[in-house]
Amino acid sequence: MVTSLEPVVGTERKVVTELPGPKSRALHERRKAVVSAGLTNGFPIYIERADGAILLDVDGNQILDLGSGIAVTSIGHAVPEVINAVSAQVAAFTHTCFMVTPYESYIEVCEELAKLTPGTHAKTSALFNSGAEAVENAVKVARLATGRQAVIVFDHAYHGRTNLTMALTAKNMPYKDRFGPFAPEIYRVAMSYPFRDGLSGAEAAARAISEIETTVGAHNVAALLIEPIQGEGGFVVPAEGFLPALSKWTSDNGVVFIADEIQSGFCRTGDWFAVDHEGVIPDMVTTAKGLAGGMPLAAVTGRAELMNAVHEGGLGGTYGGNPVAAVAALATIKTMRDRDLLGRAREIGQIVTTALRDLQRDTAMIGDIRGRGAMIAMELVEPGTTTPNAAAAKAIVNYCNQHGVIALACGTSGNVIRLLPPLVITNEQLADGLSVLADAVRSVH
Ligand SMILES: *Cc1c(COP(=O)(O)O)cnc(C)c1O
């Protein structure tokens, strides 16, 4: 039983070599012979261990993690509850295939999902391995349950890299370029993007609904799929009222409202789900990333009458709801509750927003600061304009990396810097990371 861990990884950022260091560079050279060049790394330092918000690389550098492996390790690295649960499960059994012989932890995860996702209606879930797979299955269920085919998605959306989810994703490069043909019956409409469209939520929703009704026809639409706060697309937070108006339109028109909470869910925004902020109750929710503390697990949770409309055997997959990943999810959810990570996400949001607003006073390069909880971004522009400034974002990320901090860029134009720190990050670590970020912005400015 692990109760507390030996402090094998320090708690402070510490850079002891140039970055990447010599051992990382050697590994990076070695991979070229055997790893597809189609996979790149934002920051090619090779990791040996991790604890809390610190990654220890093969050269002995302690790197401060403000990305959480893209919103996955929200509860931090090396969490005793997860280590214990996973270790015990690995020793007990690692796989039976839920479709062959089931086990209890799968049911427990679905019970938690039914409890935590918005709404008190009867819900059932199906578990998968990746976010893209969850999104694919949500669309499958919505089409079957409605007998319709069209799926509505939004500008700047990101839903994955499989064939159907590439079609659902907005950005061509690098996700879609020359990988077609794409799946049909996907229709893209305008997102509410207050910084760029200046519309109220109601106005932006009216614009989207009018596009859908005139170009697709409500009666053809199986599902409306939306990230309540967009992730890869630039942490775009729709104007207040946009999501409730779309939700109302879907229920008035027999359309399934699917909230893709894969990046925004599980405490990240200071609520269990980003839709909770405006009391929106989706018909289906897709989850993954933060759900299982770093183990691959994803889920579709939806109204029982939709999810149960599927014929027997219509959903599944060899590894979906793997028992090791399932117990990791249960330990992760327990950790979120025990450590009040909802509250902590809100605190982080205040600290980060205050720091970024201070920084914004010093530079006209920061056009917008947005997000919620521990999901905050700044959009970089050419000073005095709204023209995207991807070069600045790249230079800032690079400066952070050189100083031992992981920060991630995103956005359709690559001009947004997003912060997704582990929710267990200490105030000292957070202040340290934000001061590096401030230095980075000043150095570029
Ligand atoms: C990451 C992500 C996905 C895809 O998840 P994978 O596990 O990478 O397949 C889908 N939707 C959103 C909103 C995401 O952030």
Side-chain angles (χ1 to χ4, degrees), residues 129-133 135 158-160 227 231-232 260 262-263 288-289:
N129 307 294
S130 70
E133 209 187 342
V135 172
Y158 181 86
H159 299 291
E227 299 158 89
E232 307 307 300
D260 182 348
I262 289 170
Q263 192 155 155
K289 294 199 166 103

Side-chain angles (χ1 to χ4, degrees), residues 154-362:
F154 290 81
D155 288 339
H156 313 289
Y158 181 86
H159 299 291
R161 292 171 178 268
T162 57
N163 186 266
L164 175 61
T165 59
M166 274 193 292
L168 299 167
T169 289
K171 188 174 175 175
N172 176 53
M173 202 58 159
Y175 308 124
K176 304 167 71 164
D177 196 57
R178 294 167 290 157
F179 291 137
F182 300 112
E185 287 303 313
I186 312 290
Y187 300 90
R188 192 171 308 286
V189 300
M191 176 67 179
S192 166
Y193 194 158
F195 176 61
R196 295 197 171 274
D197 65 21
L199 298 181
S200 71
E203 290 163 347
R207 174 179 64 179
I209 289 164
S210 149
E211 281 181 79
I212 299 166
E213 289 182 341
T214 54
T215 65
V216 190
H219 61 284
N220 293 313
V221 180
L224 180 146
L225 169 65
I226 189 164
E227 299 158 89
I229 296 181
Q230 291 183 322
E232 307 307 300
F235 278 27
V236 178
V237 185
E240 207 77 18
F242 182 69
L243 295 171
L246 293 180
S247 169
K248 177 169 189 316
W249 178 85
T250 56
S251 64
D252 289 349
N253 288 280
V255 173
V256 178
F257 185 104
I258 308 173
D260 182 348
E261 293 264 10
I262 289 170
Q263 192 155 155
S264 57
F266 282 97
C267 296
R268 183 45 63 186
T269 62
D271 285 298
W272 281 101
F273 296 96
V275 285
D276 291 335
H277 185 71
E278 291 188 85
V280 169
I281 298 179
D283 300 307
M284 276 187 209
V285 179
T286 54
T287 52
K289 294 199 166 103
L291 163 62
M295 296 299 288
L297 187 70
V300 182
T301 303
R303 291 184 185 280
E305 66 270 24
L306 298 174
M307 297 295 293
N308 296 346
V310 180
H311 48 276
E312 282 184 24
L315 300 176
T318 305
Y319 295 109
N322 170 275
V324 182
V327 298
L330 297 171
T332 297
I333 293 167
K334 182 173 186 310
T335 303
M336 287 173 171
R337 282 201 187 98
D338 290 352
R339 300 198 195 170
D340 184 25
L341 294 184
L342 287 178
R344 181 60 184 155
R346 293 192 191 134
E347 281 169 15
I348 290 171
Q350 276 168 7
I351 295 168
V352 172
T353 307
T354 304
L356 295 186
R357 294 229 181 282
D358 285 346
L359 203 52
Q360 192 178 30
R361 277 191 278 278
D362 298 343

Side-chain angles (χ1 to χ4, degrees), residues 42-84:
F43 186 19
I45 50 162
Y46 285 71
I47 303 304
E48 205 163 74
R49 291 197 77 123
D51 193 356
I54 302 284
L55 303 170
L56 176 67
D57 81 358
V58 289
D59 292 291
N61 296 295
Q62 292 174 186
I63 306 296
L64 180 62
D65 184 4
L66 298 184
S68 304
I70 317 188
V72 171
T73 49
S74 292
I75 58 168
H77 297 279
V79 178
E81 289 90 331
V82 175
I83 295 172
N84 287 329

